[in-house]
Amino acid sequence: MNALFQRSWSPYVVGAGIGGLSWLSFATAKKPLGITTPFESTAARLGQLAPQASGVNAYLVKNDEVPRLDWEWALAAGVLLGSAISANASGDTDHGSVPRTWARTFGPSRATRFAGAFIGGAMMMFGARMAKGCTSGHGISGTLQLAASSWLFAPIMAITGGFVSRRLLGKGGK
Amino acid sequence: MIVDSPLELALGLGTGAVFGALLQKGQVGKYEVILDQLLLREGRVLRTMGTAVAVGSVGVHALARAGYTRLQVKPLRLGGVIPGAVLFGTGLALLGYCPGTTLTAIGEGRRDAMVGALGMLTGALLYVRAYPTLKPMLEAGDFGKVTFPQATKTSPWPWVAALGAAVLAGTLAFRKR
């Protein structure tokens, strides 16, 4: 249990742990680890509250995915829970809003950071749903299954992310 | 709405909690760590992911071979995957957390990650809204749910071994940084 109170583990230990966890999820739930599918189904569910504005009915007609409260949804909730337990056990909590590297380029304004985070989150999720996966679903689960889609997604995502972050923060980030 | 059994939900929650604790202990739910990776100053994220992929591929292919599970891959659709990856990378650079690490950072208490998650939900709503219009583009260039061993009609094991060797070689080559 001592390990739970440690702040940082080796990336190799954590990586091996995540790899082992993927065996477990394939053996038990028969599913790969992924995060963004429940965001799409939650959005579809929320859309049903205002079907006119959200255009959700056209989505439901054309899509075989339906709103669900399922294993994948519980998985995403679990990530938040597990992180909170781990961070509190080791005193590694952080209630900040503006990261240092960000502030060096964009200044200490919370409003600016929140705007960037919101737009970035929206673009990222839109892209993840277009590609049907994220850093977990494609980047880990898909590449380990040797899926062609994931081996296309991961390098394009990494190169774009590297390029954009260099353009945005390259100088100020030093 | 489809609701899974309580057992299935508990299993998901438990698996997710272990995943979240691992990401938190791995320090990858932190903006600086992810930006250091994107700016190629430090390699913690890639080390973690590389190890996870190398270790995971052995067990998952063994389980599939023994009939305990089936592989579940996403279809290779060029019209969805390529622009999706570009949008994803751009958003990642702005937010500084990927979807899983956004949840990890929220667990640590980060306010900007909470705003990022609201952005993610908004992005999902916009996607649902745009889906009927985008559908023809998303499904263009469809090669199906294909893996490299399938496409080349080879055994997965040489691929798994090559993947492990590549991760090991990369780790040894960059062990200083």
Side-chain angles (χ1 to χ4, degrees):
Chain A
M1 280 311 272
N2 271 340
L4 189 60
F5 298 100
Q6 271 174 24
R7 196 184 171 91
S8 172
W9 293 358
S10 150
Y12 307 116
V13 171
V14 170
I18 295 172
L21 195 64
S22 75
W23 309 355
L24 185 82
S25 78
F26 266 101
T28 58
K30 320 284 179 201
K31 279 180 190 161
L33 299 172
I35 298 290
T36 57
T37 307
F39 275 84
E40 182 177 332
S41 67
T42 302
R45 179 87 190 116
L46 285 175
Q48 287 177 323
L49 301 175
Q52 290 285 312
S54 67
V56 70
N57 289 332
Y59 166 85
L60 291 174
V61 166
K62 295 217 169 191
N63 202 312
D64 47 1
E65 303 214 24
V66 287
R68 25 177 111 232
L69 179 60
D70 60 0
W71 180 88
E72 285 175 305
W73 207 96
L75 183 88
V79 170
L80 208 159
L81 179 71
S83 167
I85 293 169
S86 164
N88 282 292
S90 59
D92 193 17
T93 54
D94 175 358
H95 299 283
S97 300
V98 187
R100 262 178 299 123
T101 304
W102 172 278
R104 259 177 241 141
T105 301
F106 296 104
S109 157
R110 273 162 57 113
T112 310
R113 170 57 185 152
F114 284 171
F118 187 87
I119 294 165
M123 288 177 78
M124 184 170 78
M125 180 58 63
F126 199 98
R129 294 328 302 159
M130 286 180 77
K132 296 277 161 241
C134 61
T135 333
S136 303
H138 272 311
I140 295 176
S141 301
T143 55
L144 75 82
Q145 295 182 78
L146 304 165
S149 56
S150 304
W151 283 96
L152 181 65
F153 178 87
I156 295 176
M157 175 266 281
I159 290 167
T160 312
F163 177 78
V164 175
S165 59
R166 197 162 284 272
R167 291 302 295 265
L168 281 178
L169 304 160
K171 287 174 205 147
K174 264 288 166 210
Chain B
M1 184 167 73
I2 294 173
V3 180
D4 274 357
S5 71
L7 185 71
E8 197 85 344
L9 292 176
L11 183 67
L13 194 71
T15 308
V18 175
F19 192 21
L22 285 166
L23 292 170
Q24 205 283 321
K25 292 298 180 208
Q27 303 285 298
V28 289
K30 299 187 188 302
Y31 178 94
E32 307 291 345
V33 172
I34 291 177
L35 261 295
D36 276 352
Q37 179 66 69
L38 288 175
L39 294 167
L40 299 178
R41 289 190 202 138
E42 211 251 350
R44 183 178 271 268
V45 177
L46 212 52
R47 277 172 225 277
T48 309
M49 288 178 71
T51 311
V53 170
V55 170
S57 69
V58 179
V60 169
H61 282 97
L63 284 167
R65 182 63 179 263
Y68 288 110
T69 195
R70 271 190 306 176
L71 297 187
Q72 286 204 23
V73 306
K74 304 296 182 180
L76 176 60
R77 292 172 176 160
L78 302 182
V81 172
I82 295 172
V86 169
L87 257 181
F88 188 97
T90 308
L92 173 66
L94 259 175
L95 175 56
Y97 310 103
C98 73
T101 51
T102 296
L103 299 176
T104 310
I106 293 174
E108 294 180 8
R110 289 292 308 186
R111 303 281 187 256
D112 53 346
M114 295 174 196
V115 176
L118 286 178
M120 284 162 60
L121 195 56
T122 306
L125 282 163
L126 292 173
Y127 174 80
V128 165
R129 173 91 215 200
Y131 180 81
T133 315
L134 288 181
K135 194 173 194 275
M137 179 189 117
L138 296 175
E139 293 176 358
D142 191 349
F143 293 85
K145 297 184 174 184
V146 63
T147 67
F148 293 136
Q150 266 174 12
T152 55
K153 298 192 168 63
T154 48
S155 156
W157 296 113
W159 295 87
V160 171
L163 189 56
V167 169
L168 188 63
T171 304
L172 292 174
F174 292 100
R175 70 179 179 279
K176 283 283 159 61
R177 295 206 302 146

